[in-house]
Amino acid sequence: WALAMLSACAALTPVPRPAAQVAGDAASAPFELLGRVVVRFDDRAFSSTVRWQHSAALDEIWLMSPLGQTLAYIRGEPETATLTTADQTQYYADSIENLTRRALGWELPLARLKYWVRGEVAPGGAPAYVERDEARHLVVLTQYGWRAVLTRYPPGEFGGLPRRLDLASGTSEIRLVIDSWRFGEEAP
């Protein structure tokens, strides 16, 4: 996986970092999650552990080997995103979606995923399809060209939040399995 990721990053040329504008997303409460991710795209695949810290103005994502070595660190702020590889090479783009598409060969739909991961429809675009269970929890969603299937935690565990998301768009499939959550003041 590391070789595939680093070879994909080699296609990018490091460029000067663009100036960031600070803007918040008041609707998105801070959280941290730990889990595992499997990505299949264009007849390729990789997996890693993942740590994602989210706040209104900053997203930090660590993709790590099974032994805990950071393979890639992604930092997203309004209008700028940085990917740092294990050898400390940095790449920049205007969003995490554009950065991961160019650097890794697949898009991480983070602007919407911060809602989907909590079992919510992302604002700003009407979903093409929504399915809910008997408790009105979101279980299937098609929005912004992505199909998301959500498997929930039991009601007493993390408030019934999703434990697994299976996302698909075009030739990309992303499976995110969440092992633990921290919220609000608990989240760094």
Side-chain angles (χ1 to χ4, degrees), residues 94-138:
D94 61 349
S95 69
I96 288 179
E97 291 80 2
N98 288 335
L99 180 63
T100 55
R101 188 181 314 111
R102 287 179 40 216
L104 304 176
W106 53 275
E107 176 183 331
L108 178 62
L110 199 72
R112 278 75 179 196
L113 188 59
K114 65 186 175 185
Y115 295 95
W116 299 340
V117 78
R118 293 179 296 162
E120 300 172 6
V121 173
Y129 179 80
V130 174
E131 181 180 326
R132 297 183 183 275
D133 65 13
E134 60 280 348
R136 305 294 303 149
H137 294 126
L138 188 64

Side-chain angles (χ1 to χ4, degrees), residues 33-114:
L33 65 81
L34 298 172
R36 295 159 278 139
V37 65
V38 176
V39 181
R40 288 177 176 62
F41 62 102
D42 299 332
D43 296 324
R44 296 185 290 178
F46 71 87
S47 64
S48 77
T49 57
V50 62
R51 178 179 171 204
W52 176 12
Q53 290 183 352
H54 168 77
S55 69
L58 176 65
D59 282 289
E60 295 179 282
I61 299 167
W62 291 263
L63 299 175
M64 299 170 286
S65 74
L67 298 176
Q69 176 189 11
T70 299
L71 302 171
Y73 167 69
I74 302 168
R75 181 181 172 96
E77 300 174 75
E79 299 191 28
T80 186
T82 306
L83 184 144
T84 306
T85 63
D87 69 1
Q88 300 303 304
T89 303
Q90 291 189 326
Y91 304 93
Y92 302 96
D94 61 349
S95 69
I96 288 179
E97 291 80 2
N98 288 335
L99 180 63
T100 55
R101 188 181 314 111
R102 287 179 40 216
L104 304 176
W106 53 275
E107 176 183 331
L108 178 62
L110 199 72
R112 278 75 179 196
L113 188 59
K114 65 186 175 185

